[in-house]
C-alpha cells in the first residue's frame, strides 16, 4: 500500500490524503477541487495556517504586510521559489497587518520573514528579501539536515 500524505487544502481548509507517488500528478482537494501541490503561493487565513503547518509536506510561510517595500519586492521571488520546489514543498503567505495575532504567536519581529514548517514544528526561519535561488537553497539545506 502506498504511503499517503495529509495535506490541508489552502483554499477551503479541508484535510486531504494523497498518495506520495501521486504528488507530481497535480492532486486536487476532494471538497473544492483546488490544486494541493501546484507550486503556487496561497494567501492563508489564521485558521487554515494553523492546520497547514501540521501537514506531511514542508510548508514555507512568508509573513508580510502590504505597506512593506521589501515584502513587495520579495513577492515575485517567493513565487519563483514555490515553483522551483513544487511539489515537494508548499508555499503560503499571511498578511501580518491583517492578522497581527499570527505574527505575535510566531514571534515575527521583522518582515519579510520566512518560516519553514514540517509536521507541526518550526524547522527554520529567515528574514529579509532575497533572490529565489537563495530561498530555495535555504529550504533545501534545512530539509537535508
Amino acid at each position: 500500500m502506498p504511503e499517503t500524505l495529509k495535506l490541508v487544502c489552502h483554499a477551503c481548509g479541508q484535510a486531504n490524503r494523497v498518495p506520495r507517488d501521486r504528488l507530481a500528478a497535480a492532486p486536487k482537494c476532494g471538497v473544492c477541487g483546488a490544486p494541493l501541490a501546484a507550486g503556487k503561493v496561497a494567501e492563508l487565513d489564521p485558521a487554515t495556517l494553523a492546520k497547514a503547518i501540521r501537514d506531511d509536506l514542508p510548508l514555507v510561510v512568508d509573513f508580510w504586510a502590504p505597506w512593506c517595500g521589501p515584502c513587495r519586492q520579495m513577492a515575485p521571488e517567493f513565487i519563483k521559489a514555490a515553483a522551483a520546489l513544487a511539489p515537494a514543498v508548499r508555499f503560503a503567505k499571511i498578511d501580518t497587518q491583517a492578522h497581527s495575532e499570527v505574527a505575535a504567536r510566531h514571534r515575527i519581529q521583522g518582515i519579510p520573514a520566512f518560516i519553514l514548517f514540517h509536521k507541526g514544528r518550526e524547522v527554520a526561519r529567515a528574514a529579509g528579501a532575497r533572490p529565489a535561488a537563495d530561498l530555495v537553497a535555504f529550504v533545501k539545506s534545512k530539509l537535508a539536515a
Side-chain angles (χ1 to χ4, degrees), residues 20-115:
R20 181 178 289 280
D21 59 359
R22 301 283 300 152
L23 273 180
K28 295 185 179 187
C29 175
V31 174
C32 73
L36 293 172
K40 305 286 184 197
V41 176
E43 177 77 37
L44 299 183
D45 60 47
T48 304
L49 175 64
K51 292 182 205 174
I53 63 175
R54 292 190 286 272
D55 278 354
D56 291 332
L57 280 184
L59 174 69
V60 179
V61 180
D62 176 10
F63 293 83
W64 72 288
W67 52 262
C68 170
C71 296
R72 290 193 311 272
Q73 286 179 320
M74 182 63 207
E77 297 301 309
F78 196 68
I79 291 167
K80 288 178 194 173
L85 290 171
V89 180
R90 300 199 314 163
F91 282 65
K93 62 183 187 171
I94 190 155
D95 181 346
T96 59
Q97 180 176 332
H99 306 292
S100 59
E101 73 284 358
V102 174
R105 183 177 321 121
H106 292 286
R107 301 173 324 277
I108 302 301
Q109 296 177 346
I111 54 175
F114 310 98
I115 300 181

Side-chain angles (χ1 to χ4, degrees), residues 109-137:
Q109 296 177 346
I111 54 175
F114 310 98
I115 300 181
L116 172 61
F117 295 99
H118 192 212
K119 295 184 178 181
R121 67 178 191 88
E122 180 180 322
V123 175
R125 64 173 58 206
R130 59 195 63 229
D134 288 359
L135 191 56
V136 168

